Amino acid sequence: MFPAEKKLLADFGERLRLARLRRGYTAELVAERVGISRMTLGRAEQGSPAVSLGVYLRILVVLNLEGDMDALAADDRLGRRLQDLGVPARKRAKGK
């Protein structure tokens, strides 16, 4: 994993931790509601890439932030620019 990607995950984990603290939720409470161990929640709040996306989503649900998931990649500016430029999509080989 590249350093920039590690930083993105670490920042995301920190935002989850801060959201939990702002709500006055203990780590034990959130872990229980999510259905994970306290250790896994700690890893998520540290931005561990070993934590599954599903766990991150369940944490967002417990924190009532699941709407944020809907915003991920919603504005695909690069994809639209490539489409506007007429860059052809890769074609699959026959028989695949």
Side-chain angles (χ1 to χ4, degrees):
M1 180 170 284
F2 293 109
E5 294 166 349
K6 286 181 184 179
K7 179 160 178 24
L8 281 172
L9 276 174
D11 290 348
F12 177 58
E14 177 65 7
R15 288 192 300 273
L16 289 177
R17 187 182 75 78
L18 291 173
R20 175 179 61 78
L21 293 173
R22 282 192 291 269
R23 285 158 177 73
Y25 295 168
T26 66
E28 291 77 17
L29 176 71
V30 172
E32 181 182 324
R33 289 184 180 177
V34 172
I36 58 176
S37 70
R38 168 64 187 89
M39 185 177 288
T40 299
L41 178 63
R43 281 192 226 122
E45 290 183 349
Q46 292 172 2
S48 171
V51 175
S52 75
L53 182 59
V55 169
Y56 280 113
L57 175 59
R58 290 195 327 258
I59 293 169
L60 288 169
V61 167
V62 168
L63 298 175
N64 199 29
L65 292 170
E66 67 273 13
D68 289 2
M69 280 295 279
D70 195 37
L72 292 176
D75 187 18
D76 183 13
R77 289 180 286 180
L78 174 61
R80 277 190 267 116
R81 289 180 76 194
L82 292 171
Q83 186 178 34
D84 291 346
L85 290 172
V87 176
R90 292 188 330 164
K91 294 186 179 183
R92 297 178 78 150
K94 288 184 180 183
K96 292 191 178 188

